[in-house]
Amino acid sequence: MEFGVNIPRKQKIRVWDSTAEIRCLVLPMRPAASFGLFETALAKWVSRNSMIGTGLPQAPATP
Amino acid sequence: MRPYHDIGGSRAGPVKPDKPKDPIFEYSWHKRVLGLTVASGAMGAWSIDTLRFRRETLPKEDYQSYTYYEKWLVALNNLFVSRGFVDLEEIENGVYDKIRQPLNPKTLRANAVPSMLATGAKASRPSSGTPTLFIGEKVQTKRPSDTLLQSPGHTMLPHYAAGKTGVILFYHGHHVLPNSNAHFLGENPEPLYSVEFSSEDLWISAEPGDSVIVDCWESYLEPKL
């Protein structure tokens, strides 16, 4: 799609349009493969795009 | 009629997202335009709503061909001139040399910039009266032109969500009404709600279950009986 994010068809999507001065904090959905990791390891999964709702957390290239 | 700046939901070409290592400001003058906008905003001579109105009402050809910060700069220049802070001759010559009233005393000093940028300017106001709509209530949006307090005028109700039926999801307290504040008519705070619309009610082609949430001031809404 627009930002290169492919979302499964069955995934429910709610779009938040910021027409007022209310701003949203995006909590990226945790990928199943990241369970069991602690904070420092998890931080490597988080990208800017995943924090603004235009990407999903990705496994870091090298562990 | 849909104004040319109100393009939500229409095809506007591909999005080219920045790469993670791209600079925050593509050109150094972009940074200066942001600085000029923030510093002059601190004078309190106009509001963010006024600036948005000035940008969205630039001539159509300019609006559609200018980049983001070009719109910011030109709208700000127009505002400086129309509010009597500088004149066209001074902008052309690049020299501020006319005798005027003393500048606004609310000068934004360099040491106050970081805290100001970090906190921003609040748009919420103490509640003055109770909201007339309740969470879970079915509401209908007006036409954007019916929310204007002057013509041409400013509204935050997008065309794609006009005349649509939705449900109140949140009440955010009272917020400054941009439709009024943009035109120096006062803040006139109103109850602000998040309204959820089914995507199928907004778009010709939509997946069942998807939705769009739009923040709407009370005067944009009518109870749907």
Side-chain angles (χ1 to χ4, degrees):
Chain A
M1 306 227 299
E2 287 288 12
F3 288 86
V5 186
N6 290 304
I7 297 163
R9 242 193 133 82
K10 62 177 168 63
Q11 178 74 53
K12 187 181 156 122
I13 300 173
R14 294 172 105 189
V15 176
W16 295 77
D17 193 351
S18 55
T19 48
E21 297 306 311
I22 306 282
R23 295 293 174 263
C24 296
L25 176 70
V26 177
L27 283 180
M29 206 157 55
R30 185 169 185 171
S34 72
F35 280 100
L37 296 178
F38 291 107
E39 191 176 340
T40 44
L42 276 174
K44 296 194 172 71
W45 288 64
V46 179
S47 61
R48 183 196 59 174
N49 283 0
S50 72
M51 295 298 290
I52 60 171
T54 60
L56 302 171
Q58 302 286 338
T62 44
Chain B
M1 210 184 73
R2 177 198 285 247
Y4 46 81
H5 75 274
D6 183 1
I7 59 170
S10 57
R11 295 195 180 276
V15 175
K16 282 179 243 155
D18 288 353
K19 308 260 181 322
K21 293 276 155 56
D22 281 351
I24 292 173
F25 294 98
E26 195 179 1
Y27 300 102
S28 58
W29 69 266
H30 290 180
K31 203 174 187 172
R32 291 179 62 81
V33 172
L34 175 63
L36 197 57
T37 303
V38 171
S40 59
M43 296 189 301
W46 49 72
S47 65
I48 189 171
D49 304 303
T50 310
L51 276 170
R52 285 180 177 145
F53 177 63
R54 292 300 184 120
R55 291 173 198 143
E56 71 196 20
T57 51
L58 287 170
K60 186 176 179 182
E61 290 71 30
D62 294 344
Y63 187 87
Q64 292 177 338
S65 63
Y66 286 172
T67 61
Y68 185 83
Y69 279 114
E70 281 172 344
K71 291 189 190 87
W72 276 45
L73 179 59
V74 174
L76 189 62
N77 264 339
N78 290 346
L79 201 46
F80 268 122
V81 173
S82 68
R83 303 301 286 180
F85 287 93
V86 290
D87 63 28
L88 277 177
E89 205 179 304
E90 287 171 312
I91 289 181
E92 276 163 17
N93 298 337
V95 183
Y96 181 71
D97 60 359
K98 302 279 163 62
I99 294 160
R100 294 191 178 77
Q101 296 172 337
L103 275 180
N104 194 298
K106 292 189 208 159
T107 308
L108 181 64
R109 303 282 170 199
N111 61 7
V113 171
S115 65
M116 202 204 139
L117 286 178
T119 53
K122 260 179 116 165
S124 57
R125 294 291 179 270
S127 286
S128 50
T130 37
T132 65
L133 302 167
F134 57 86
I135 289 162
E137 186 171 0
K138 212 185 234 194
V139 291
Q140 183 166 359
T141 49
K142 295 180 184 174
R143 289 183 302 182
S145 56
D146 290 336
T147 69
L148 302 182
L149 298 183
Q150 66 169 53
S151 185
H154 181 60
T155 187
M156 296 304 277
L157 178 61
H159 187 273
Y160 75 79
K164 304 289 184 184
T165 301
V167 174
I168 306 265
L169 197 62
F170 291 122
Y171 164 56
H172 296 289
H174 280 60
H175 278 240
V176 172
L177 181 66
N179 308 47
S180 171
N181 203 33
H183 309 304
F184 304 99
L185 299 171
E187 293 190 335
N188 294 310
E190 275 190 11
L192 178 73
Y193 307 92
S194 289
V195 183
E196 185 166 25
F197 301 90
S198 161
S199 292
E200 291 177 292
D201 289 338
L202 302 184
W203 319 118
I204 294 164
S205 164
E207 287 291 322
D210 290 352
S211 64
V212 178
I213 294 117
V214 182
D215 291 331
C216 294
W217 281 260
E218 194 164 87
S219 60
Y220 296 2
L221 303 169
E222 281 162 347
K224 174 83 176 176
L225 304 172

